[in-house]
């Protein structure tokens, strides 16, 4: 299973985080599948690659609580509304 979670970068007392798609069995600083964003809590800067985030969400990736809050604040989930009239084609 793939999760969207934060990966700590930066130096001591000056943390910045990458938002990555990573396997759930990997540790926090483990090898990620893809970098999908950046979050700096000190300067309140956020960069999100929205098409890539939506791609992973469509494939079944689960965001962690913090990544969900960051994405919700950036209104990513307004673009990820499932269409009830859409049918699957095999």
């Amino acid at each position: 299973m793939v999760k969207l979670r934060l990966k700590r970068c930066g130096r001591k007392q000056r943390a910045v985080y990458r938002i990555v798609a990573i396997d759930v069995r990997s540790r926090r600083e483990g090898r990620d599948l893809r970098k999908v964003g950046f979050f700096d809590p000190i300067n309140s800067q956020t960069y999100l690659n929205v098409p890539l985030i939506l791609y992973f969400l469509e494939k079944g990736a689960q965001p962690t609580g913090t990544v969900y809050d960051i994405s919700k604040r950036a209104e990513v989930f307004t673009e990820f509304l499932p269409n009830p009239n859409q049918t699957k084609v095999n």
Side-chain angles (χ1 to χ4, degrees), residues 54-71:
L54 293 176
Y55 169 78
F56 279 109
L57 289 174
E58 287 170 358
K59 296 294 181 185
Q62 297 293 315
T64 60
T66 307
V67 173
Y68 178 81
D69 292 340
I70 292 168
S71 302

Side-chain angles (χ1 to χ4, degrees), residues 14-86:
R14 182 67 179 91
V16 293
Y17 298 92
R18 285 190 184 132
I19 301 170
V20 296
I22 193 167
D23 188 27
V24 291
R25 295 169 289 185
S26 297
R27 57 194 176 135
R28 183 182 70 183
E29 276 85 24
R31 184 170 179 153
D32 51 68
L33 300 172
R34 197 76 190 262
K35 295 174 182 70
V36 296
F38 173 83
F39 176 61
D40 184 357
I42 296 173
N43 294 330
S44 299
Q45 293 179 337
T46 305
Y47 166 75
L48 298 174
N49 188 343
V50 176
L52 202 53
I53 291 174
L54 293 176
Y55 169 78
F56 279 109
L57 289 174
E58 287 170 358
K59 296 294 181 185
Q62 297 293 315
T64 60
T66 307
V67 173
Y68 178 81
D69 292 340
I70 292 168
S71 302
K72 189 174 178 183
R73 204 174 327 134
E75 299 178 355
V76 170
F77 295 111
T78 57
E79 300 176 26
F80 184 66
L81 292 175
N83 189 355
N85 298 328
Q86 186 179 11

